[in-house]
């Protein structure tokens, strides 16, 4: 029996092995983006990696408001899944408001089923940049470079608790104290306050510290 006849019989009897499809991923949009003209219209999101003094790796979820240049979150942990990203975004929305658009790359965590479900339930437009084009997400890329140069490269982290405290201090300085040339010498907090009177930046308060654990609380 020749190969063509064998394949025909397999098709007729439906004996061929069914190909497994790829897992469902968030698709988002890739249309050109207009610059935001107010706070909480567009957030940019990315990950930065670093290591503790003993060589263990950890990651930092960075989120920035593209209009005010505020750092909205620096979430440090040894593992950051799509479920965790969705949870952190929900916490941000609860403290502030829902953004119109979120911009990110095509990382596995950010194209996961958890993020797809989150976008549908929250009705937030998720924009994915083109693969290999990081400057399409220029706001967060610029912020990540500043974070690495001014904080990560200058600090030897000994634990996750230590990293979270250092990142919290740097975030407050970045948002409320240091003037930014791209904002005409103003701070992100000042820009946000002018655009949204009554707005107060998120702050972190260390409520207790031990050699093994640091407890941090949020207030506005």
């Amino acid at each position: 029996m020749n190969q063509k006849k064998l394949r025909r019989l397999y098709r007729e009897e439906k004996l061929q092995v069914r190909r497994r499809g790829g897992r469902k991923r968030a698709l988002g949009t890739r249309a050109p983006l207009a610059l935001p003209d107010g706070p909480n219209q567009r957030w940019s999101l990315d990950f930065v990696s670093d290591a503790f003094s003993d060589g263990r790796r950890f990651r930092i979820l960075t989120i920035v408001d593209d209009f005010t240049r505020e750092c909205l979150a620096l979430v440090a942990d040894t593992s950051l899944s799509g479920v965790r990203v969705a949870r952190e975004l929900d916490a941000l929305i609860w403290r502030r408001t829902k953004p119109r658009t979120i911009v990110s790359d095509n990382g596995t965590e950010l194209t996961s089923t958890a993020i797809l479900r989150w976008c549908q339930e929250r009705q937030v437009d998720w924009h994915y940049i083109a693969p290999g084009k990081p400057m399409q997400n220029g706001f967060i890329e610029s912020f990540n470079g500043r974070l690495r140069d001014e904080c990560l490269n200058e600090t030897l982290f000994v634990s996750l608790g230590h990293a979270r405290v250092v990142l919290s201090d740097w975030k407050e300085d970045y948002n409320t104290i240091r003037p930014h040339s791209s904002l005409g010498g103003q701070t992100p907090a000042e820009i946000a306050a002018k655009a949204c009177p009554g707005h107060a930046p998120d702050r972190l308060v260390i409520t207790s510290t031990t050699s093994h654990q640091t407890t941090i609380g949020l207030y506005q």
Side-chain angles (χ1 to χ4, degrees):
M1 182 183 296
N2 61 39
Q3 191 176 22
K4 288 185 178 179
K5 186 175 182 179
L6 179 63
R7 289 183 177 178
R8 179 175 59 80
L9 291 173
Y10 260 70
R11 286 196 303 271
E12 290 175 354
E13 299 298 326
K14 299 182 179 179
L15 297 176
Q16 64 267 35
V17 177
R18 185 177 179 182
R19 290 187 177 182
R20 184 178 179 183
R23 68 182 181 86
K24 200 170 185 180
R25 290 175 178 267
L27 297 177
T29 60
R30 288 206 175 101
L33 281 175
L35 289 175
D37 55 10
N40 296 315
Q41 291 186 7
R42 192 173 80 201
W43 296 351
S44 293
L45 185 152
D46 201 3
F47 292 99
V48 178
S49 297
D50 206 342
F52 300 120
S53 56
D54 59 6
R56 291 180 299 127
R57 305 291 298 179
F58 70 98
R59 304 179 77 197
I60 305 166
L61 170 65
T62 59
I63 306 176
V64 170
D65 186 303
D66 289 354
F67 178 79
T68 65
R69 309 294 201 276
E70 282 180 285
C71 172
L72 305 181
L74 290 176
V75 182
D77 215 327
T78 53
S79 177
L80 291 167
S81 65
V83 173
R84 176 69 181 279
V85 171
R87 191 164 68 241
E88 295 296 337
L89 288 172
D90 278 337
L92 264 181
I93 290 173
W94 184 81
R95 296 199 306 270
R96 303 173 65 90
T97 188
K98 184 173 69 174
R100 295 179 186 173
T101 305
I102 293 177
V103 185
S104 78
D105 61 18
N106 301 267
T108 304
E109 301 88 349
L110 306 178
T111 57
S112 64
T113 303
I115 294 300
L116 173 62
R117 185 184 305 113
W118 185 87
C119 291
Q120 292 175 341
E121 292 176 351
R122 303 297 181 274
Q123 297 184 339
V124 173
D125 179 35
W126 199 292
H127 178 94
Y128 291 104
I129 64 173
K133 302 289 185 179
M135 288 316 297
Q136 290 184 6
N137 203 4
F139 290 106
I140 197 73
E141 290 293 335
S142 175
F143 173 82
N144 288 345
R146 195 178 295 266
L147 171 65
R148 187 167 294 283
D149 290 342
E150 298 179 4
C151 181
L152 303 185
N153 291 345
E154 299 296 321
T155 310
L156 189 62
F157 299 108
V158 297
S159 67
L160 193 56
H162 176 223
R164 286 170 175 168
V165 171
V166 171
L167 289 170
S168 168
D169 291 342
W170 186 86
K171 173 175 174 280
E172 182 169 353
D173 178 80
Y174 179 89
N175 283 340
T176 65
I177 298 174
R178 181 198 318 169
H180 292 234
S181 58
S182 61
L183 300 176
Q186 301 179 84
T187 67
E190 289 173 334
I191 296 296
K194 289 179 179 178
C196 297
H199 169 81
D202 298 331
R203 298 174 183 269
L204 288 172
V205 180
I206 303 171
T207 56
S208 64
T209 305
T210 67
S211 59
H212 301 289
Q213 184 177 6
T214 302
T215 302
I216 301 178
L218 279 165
Y219 74 94
Q220 286 189 295

